[in-house]
């Protein structure tokens, strides 16, 4: 049970969802909104650096990429709680977003970058990693684990019945391909995209080790599926921005972090 730095009754508590694109961030956000009490939420996505309106109670928000820049503000804000979605990288890099049905949405480079940013926070009591595979195979068990970790949550419905109570935005419905009952049938959907997987493995050979280290495979036998598979190349989303652009982005988020922390200090 979470006990340190609990918010006062008249403060706003924020529960923010992050994780690599196509790792289940939209799903967990809609499950949280449908099955726990809250005061306000963002419509679909809202960066942690965007101020929320003055309110009391629990505020729900989601922005996958925030994990790469949120370390300073997370450590500074005792009323900020974070759920980080983790998913088999093979499923992440072979997932297609309905809004871009002709391209794969995330690369292994992005998965590694987001995971590197999350690692230093994984033992913090206000930071909880949720595995996508556990969420869809045992939704109610994961709901109990989340509630036990974050005392700011009050349950009103079961995760396994979330689709019966959800009120998702149009963008969320598109991302989820409609509001459907929880199912673990797509657990190994990466097997339907072997040419894409072969391309990513050719570019990032460390993927084999990561799959073992994270417990998604006990050995390398799965690589037999890729024998004689011709890689499907793709340029979209496969490379990081140039150095000057990354420097500019880091500066912007440094300034945003300073403003965020100053706002917290004014409320103390």
């Amino acid at each position: 049970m979470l006990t340190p730095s609990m918010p006062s009754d008249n403060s706003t508590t924020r529960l923010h969802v992050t994780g690599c694109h196509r790792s289940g961030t939209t799903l967990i956000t809609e499950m949280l909104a449908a099955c726990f009490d809250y005061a306000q939420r963002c419509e679909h996505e809202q960066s942690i650096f965007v101020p929320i309106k003055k309110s009391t109670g629990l505020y729900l928000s989601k922005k996958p990429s925030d994990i790469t820049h949120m370390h300073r503000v997370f450590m500074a804000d005792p009323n900020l709680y974070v759920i980080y979605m983790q998913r088999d990288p093979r499923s992440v890099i072979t997932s297609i977003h309905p809004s871009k049905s002709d391209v794969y949405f995330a690369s292994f480079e992005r998965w590694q970058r987001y995971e590197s940013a999350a690692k230093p926070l994984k033992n913090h009591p206000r930071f909880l990693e949720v595995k996508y595979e556990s969420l869809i195979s045992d939704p109610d068990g994961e709901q109990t684990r989340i509630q036990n970790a974050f005392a700011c949550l009050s349950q009103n419905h079961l995760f396994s019945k979330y689709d019966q109570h959800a009120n998702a935005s149009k963008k969320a419905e598109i991302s989820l391909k409609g509001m459907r009952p929880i199912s673990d049938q797509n657990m190994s959907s990466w097997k339907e995209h072997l040419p894409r997987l072969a391309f990513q493995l050719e570019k990032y050979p460390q993927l084999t080790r990561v799959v073992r280290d994270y417990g998604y495979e006990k050995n390398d036998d799965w690589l037999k599926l890729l024998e004689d598979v011709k890689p499907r190349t793709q340029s979209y989303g496969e490379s990081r921005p140039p150095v000057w652009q990354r420097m500019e982005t880091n500066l912007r988020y440094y300034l945003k972090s300073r403003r965020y922390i100053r706002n917290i200090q004014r409320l103390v």
Side-chain angles (χ1 to χ4, degrees):
M1 182 69 69
L2 184 105
T3 54
S5 304
M6 286 301 296
S8 62
D9 291 340
N10 62 351
S11 64
T12 298
T13 305
R14 186 167 191 165
L15 177 55
H16 193 62
V17 175
T18 67
C20 189
H21 300 292
R22 310 309 295 161
S23 64
T25 57
T26 299
L27 176 61
I28 188 65
T29 301
E30 296 307 323
M31 294 173 81
L32 291 168
C35 302
F36 286 110
D37 292 326
Y38 64 92
Q40 295 183 49
R41 64 166 294 187
C42 68
E43 181 180 359
H44 179 53
E45 287 192 358
Q46 178 181 323
S47 174
I48 203 171
F49 297 97
V50 175
I52 59 179
K53 295 180 180 179
K54 189 72 175 179
S55 65
T56 59
L58 181 65
Y59 188 90
L60 298 177
S61 57
K62 178 198 82 154
K63 185 70 174 178
S65 60
D66 276 352
I67 189 62
T68 59
H69 295 97
M70 62 175 283
H71 189 278
R72 289 183 65 227
V73 300
F74 175 77
M75 299 303 294
D77 188 353
N79 291 335
L80 174 60
Y81 300 80
V82 170
I83 286 178
Y84 172 74
M85 289 300 298
Q86 174 61 264
R87 188 180 185 184
D88 185 338
R90 294 171 298 180
S91 296
V92 169
I93 64 182
T94 58
S95 180
I96 296 177
H97 193 284
S99 66
K100 295 182 182 294
S101 59
D102 59 334
V103 298
Y104 292 98
F105 211 64
S107 67
F108 184 64
E109 184 278 328
R110 183 187 293 272
W111 186 95
Q112 291 184 108
R113 184 156 36 95
Y114 283 34
E115 179 64 11
S116 295
K119 274 187 176 180
L121 301 175
K122 288 189 177 184
N123 291 324
H124 196 284
R126 288 186 285 106
F127 189 97
L128 184 67
E129 180 181 69
V130 174
K131 290 185 177 293
Y132 174 83
E133 292 78 13
S134 298
L135 183 65
I136 62 174
S137 61
D138 183 17
D140 295 338
E142 282 301 288
Q143 182 179 20
T144 298
R145 192 173 72 90
I146 293 169
Q147 186 168 18
N148 288 341
F150 292 164
C152 57
L153 292 174
S154 177
Q155 178 181 329
N156 53 27
H157 299 293
L158 291 173
F159 268 9
S160 58
K161 306 293 183 183
Y162 98 98
D163 58 300
Q164 300 176 18
H165 307 283
N167 185 23
S169 69
K170 184 65 176 177
K171 288 182 178 179
E173 286 200 28
I174 292 174
S175 179
L176 294 171
K177 301 178 182 177
M179 303 307 299
R180 301 168 292 166
I182 291 290
S183 171
D184 61 0
Q185 291 184 353
N186 69 341
M187 192 86 77
S188 300
S189 59
W190 56 267
K191 294 180 180 178
E192 302 173 8
H193 303 268
L194 295 181
R196 162 66 173 178
L197 194 55
F199 166 61
Q200 288 286 282
L201 189 60
E202 186 178 77
K203 193 171 184 180
Y204 308 104
Q206 64 270 35
L207 172 60
T208 303
R209 173 183 53 79
V210 169
V211 167
R212 290 197 313 271
D213 290 348
Y214 279 73
Y216 292 111
E217 296 286 352
K218 294 180 179 179
N219 51 51
D220 295 340
D221 288 352
W222 66 277
L223 293 174
K224 296 176 182 178
L225 295 172
L226 299 175
E227 294 177 358
D228 302 322
V229 173
K230 182 179 179 181
R232 175 185 169 179
T233 60
Q234 175 182 294
S235 59
Y236 173 85
E238 292 302 323
S239 60
R240 298 188 67 180
V243 174
W244 66 266
Q245 189 173 341
R246 298 203 300 270
M247 291 176 63
E248 187 272 338
T249 298
N250 289 336
L251 176 60
R252 281 192 294 109
Y253 278 99
Y254 171 76
L255 297 175
K256 288 181 179 181
S257 297
R258 287 186 60 184
R259 287 195 294 271
Y260 187 110
I261 294 172
R262 282 202 302 267
N263 287 337
I264 296 174
Q265 293 171 340
R266 291 193 190 104
L267 296 176
V268 174

